[in-house]
Amino acid sequence: MTAIFHPTLCKIVLNNAPQVATSENAKSDRPGAERIDYHGGSKWATWSIRQRCKIIDRARHEIASRVDQLTRLSRSEQRTDDAETVASELIPLCDALRWIGKHGRKTLAPRKVGLAGRPVWMWGVRSVVQRVALGQVLILGTWNYPLLLPGVQMAQALAAGNHVWLKPAAGSEAVSAELVACFIAAGVPDEAITLLDSSTEAAIEAQAKGVDLVVLTGSAQTGKLVLHQSAETLTPSIMELSGVDAAVVLPDSDLDRVVDALKFGLLFNSGATCIGPRRLIVPNHSSTSALTDQLLNGLRDASQVTVHPAARSNVADLIEDSLQKGAKDCLGKFDATSLRTTGKLHPVVLRDVPSDHAILQSDVFAPVISIIPVEHPDQAIQLVNECPYRLAASVFGPTSHAQAIAEKLDAGVVTVNDMVASTADPRLPFGGRGKSGFGVTRGPEGLLAMTAPRVIATRRGRVAMHLSPRNDADVELLSGVLQWSNSGNWGRRIAALRRVTTAASQWRALKK
């Protein structure tokens, strides 16, 4: 879910924004561990996976005890509904922490590579693949979901043994500090989490000091800036960026379900949801002919929302330009002056938008949707897959048909007969395609993304033929082994075995 990272806004810093988050009621009942020179002298990475995951799971108890405080601190011009905070942030966050507590140990456990499938020339070698902490993870937070998104990212980074630097979005300093305090009270060492101020300079300075992973939730433009700096030090990154998500409606869809889902997706969190619907792709079919009218009736009495200051000008410009070029404002409530001066915006439904207009391929962070008619579902697939932003999509229709269409869409998350809600499942990874970013957070894939694989291969015994001096039998022996391992029938394999036996005798004789 994408936030907007705006240089001017991000320079707003609370005077009391803490540099290092601590909590007066944080308990020190943590298992001890000797400090060693591992990831900058940190001891957190040396704690067992079980201990770390147990502590992360315990953080949900702290969150539950502070639900009222966290909800109050989350209020803003865009977030006015406390029920949305609990439903869209705190409950999914606690579910994610519970998932880490239950499944994190198994996900991060070393994978033994034993005898089965071992190449013959690796005789005597046994290996293990470990998932080790990257070191320092910089999380660039978001204002639209300041608890769920950075909270899960921080939890997964910590469970993997990393240190976390969290840079909150402007306006989210206080709630971010309270969130960090929950983790510390649960048992995460103070030194394992650092809360930066919300300025752009704080993020730039943190990257300049040297980090091992950058996780950004923001706009595509911000992603380019962060990646430019990351490229200087070859720092890996996870980019969770903008969306221009489509809702594809198939013939014989349940139109009531479609309208309910569209209203929910458009208006949820005042429209500040990156996987909210921005394009409604509808076939010219008798079963869908009433959809536009039903949607307009459902939105006609909807209240205004407040668009974030960083998005107001861009949204107003795009809508105005589309109207000047032939698009129609179906509800007739768009007021560019009000949007620019107060941020207030009624939902906007556009039709007859020129197919090449920027609004169809721009990350509009407001309740704006364009209706696009098509003659055939294949056109809908093409429209989704050719858009540069492919974070998520929804498909509505008979289940088997909708699932078949969903499997052809090149998007990070495709939801059938619903939208937005499925991303709250802690078992599922979340990430986009194209300009919507790369890499994933959440789920087992997101947890593993906070680690690096380390292989430890141990050879037992005295046989190590590759260490012996080269002799004239090597080519014959190796060729025989190749044929034995890869021939397509038993006759050739038996012939290869004879070749290996003869070459091995010659090899031993030459070795003497």
Side-chain angles (χ1 to χ4, degrees):
M1 299 179 181
T2 307
I4 295 175
F5 186 108
H6 192 276
T8 301
L9 288 174
C10 288
K11 291 181 181 178
I12 302 173
V13 184
L14 294 182
N15 293 330
N16 61 350
Q19 293 299 313
V20 179
T22 60
S23 175
E24 292 182 359
N25 62 347
K27 299 179 181 179
S28 58
D29 55 346
R30 310 162 190 151
E34 293 184 5
R35 185 179 297 276
I36 62 174
D37 290 331
Y38 183 71
H39 289 317
S42 164
K43 61 182 180 181
W44 175 241
T46 68
W47 292 17
S48 71
I49 299 172
R50 178 180 178 276
Q51 286 175 323
R52 296 196 304 261
C53 291
K54 184 177 180 181
I55 288 171
I56 296 305
D57 180 39
R58 193 186 304 158
R60 64 189 172 94
H61 306 316
E62 294 294 329
I63 290 172
S65 69
R66 306 178 192 211
V67 58
D68 296 326
Q69 176 79 345
L70 289 165
T71 301
R72 180 181 63 80
L73 294 174
S74 295
R75 293 172 190 157
S76 66
E77 282 188 295
Q78 289 74 41
R79 174 65 63 79
T80 57
D81 186 345
D82 289 346
E84 283 191 357
T85 299
V86 178
S88 68
E89 298 221 67
L90 294 176
I91 290 177
L93 175 56
C94 287
D95 287 342
L97 300 180
R98 179 188 287 111
W99 183 90
I100 290 173
K102 187 173 182 180
H103 300 284
R105 181 184 179 186
K106 182 178 179 180
T107 302
L108 296 171
R111 176 171 61 90
K112 293 182 179 180
V113 182
L115 299 177
R118 182 178 61 186
V120 293
W121 54 86
M122 296 296 290
W123 184 264
V125 176
R126 296 192 181 187
S127 304
V128 61
V129 181
Q130 301 172 334
R131 305 301 307 200
V132 298
L134 292 167
Q136 190 72 57
V137 175
L138 172 62
I139 297 174
L140 304 176
T142 168
W143 59 264
N144 60 329
Y145 291 94
L147 291 168
L148 174 62
L149 301 188
V152 175
Q153 293 161 5
M154 182 163 56
Q156 291 191 316
L158 290 167
N162 298 290
H163 275 203
V164 168
W165 287 356
L166 173 63
K167 192 209 81 67
S172 303
E173 298 89 347
V175 71
S176 297
E178 190 69 15
L179 177 62
V180 169
C182 290
F183 283 97
I184 292 175
V188 176
D190 294 3
E191 66 271 15
I193 310 177
T194 299
L195 183 62
L196 307 174
D197 68 54
S198 62
S199 67
T200 303
E201 289 79 9
I204 294 173
E205 183 181 353
Q207 279 193 265
K209 287 180 177 178
V211 295
D212 301 287
L213 177 69
V214 178
V215 183
L216 168 68
T217 303
S219 69
Q221 184 58 39
T222 301
K224 292 179 182 179
L225 297 175
V226 173
L227 285 172
H228 180 77
Q229 186 177 0
S230 296
E232 295 296 326
T233 54
L234 297 179
T235 302
S237 304
I238 296 173
M239 297 282 116
E240 188 177 309
L241 307 179
S242 312
V244 187
D245 294 353
V248 178
V249 180
L250 302 176
D252 300 317
S253 296
D254 180 345
L255 298 190
D256 290 335
R257 165 61 65 87
V258 175
V259 171
D260 288 343
L262 289 171
K263 288 170 55 181
F264 171 77
L266 276 172
L267 298 173
F268 194 74
N269 201 31
S270 297
T273 300
C274 65
I275 55 174
R278 300 292 173 250
R279 295 174 295 157
L280 176 59
I281 304 175
V282 187
N284 288 319
H285 191 273
S286 58
S287 65
T288 59
S289 59
L291 177 58
T292 298
D293 288 339
Q294 284 187 229
L295 177 61
L296 296 179
N297 289 335
L299 292 173
R300 207 173 301 279
D301 296 328
S303 302
Q304 289 180 312
V305 302
T306 301
V307 178
H308 195 279
R312 294 172 187 174
S313 178
N314 181 56
V315 173
D317 289 345
L318 284 169
I319 296 175
E320 280 188 317
D321 189 69
S322 70
L323 295 175
Q324 292 171 4
K325 293 179 178 176
K328 294 180 177 59
D329 174 14
C330 295
L331 288 170
K333 294 185 177 184
F334 173 64
D335 186 336
T337 301
S338 175
L339 174 56
R340 286 192 170 94
T341 56
T342 69
K344 299 297 182 182
L345 177 70
H346 284 282
V348 176
V349 179
L350 299 173
R351 61 191 300 179
D352 300 332
V353 179
S355 60
D356 60 348
H357 196 274
I359 200 168
L360 299 178
Q361 296 193 342
S362 299
D363 49 340
V364 180
F365 217 55
V368 179
I369 191 167
S370 301
I371 300 176
I372 306 173
V374 294
E375 296 299 327
H376 192 274
D378 286 346
Q379 291 177 267
I381 296 170
Q382 184 177 4
L383 286 170
V384 172
N385 292 346
E386 289 183 352
C387 180
Y389 296 96
R390 300 186 302 279
L391 186 57
S394 296
V395 183
F396 294 88
T399 302
S400 59
H401 190 191
Q403 288 178 333
I405 296 296
E407 291 177 359
K408 297 178 181 179
L409 300 183
D410 184 20
V413 178
V414 183
T415 307
V416 173
N417 290 324
D418 198 1
M419 61 175 55
V420 179
S422 61
T423 59
D425 190 331
R427 301 168 297 176
L428 303 179
F430 186 78
R433 306 283 192 276
K435 290 186 178 180
S436 290
F438 51 84
V440 296
T441 58
R442 295 185 250 178
E445 294 83 359
L447 182 54
L448 291 174
M450 299 293 178
T451 68
R454 179 174 62 196
V455 175
I456 297 180
T458 303
R459 180 177 289 277
R460 294 178 172 86
R462 299 185 59 82
V463 178
M465 295 180 65
H466 61 286
L467 301 180
S468 301
R470 182 73 56 86
N471 66 50
D472 294 339
D474 286 344
V475 173
E476 189 71 9
L477 180 61
L478 291 171
S479 298
V481 170
L482 172 66
Q483 291 177 330
W484 163 257
S485 300
N486 298 283
S487 292
N489 60 63
W490 278 105
R492 292 179 179 177
R493 295 188 70 182
I494 292 172
L497 183 59
R498 293 194 188 101
R499 187 175 184 180
V500 169
T501 303
T502 302
S505 298
Q506 183 183 2
W507 185 88
R508 286 193 296 268
L510 291 171
K511 185 178 179 183
K512 293 179 181 178

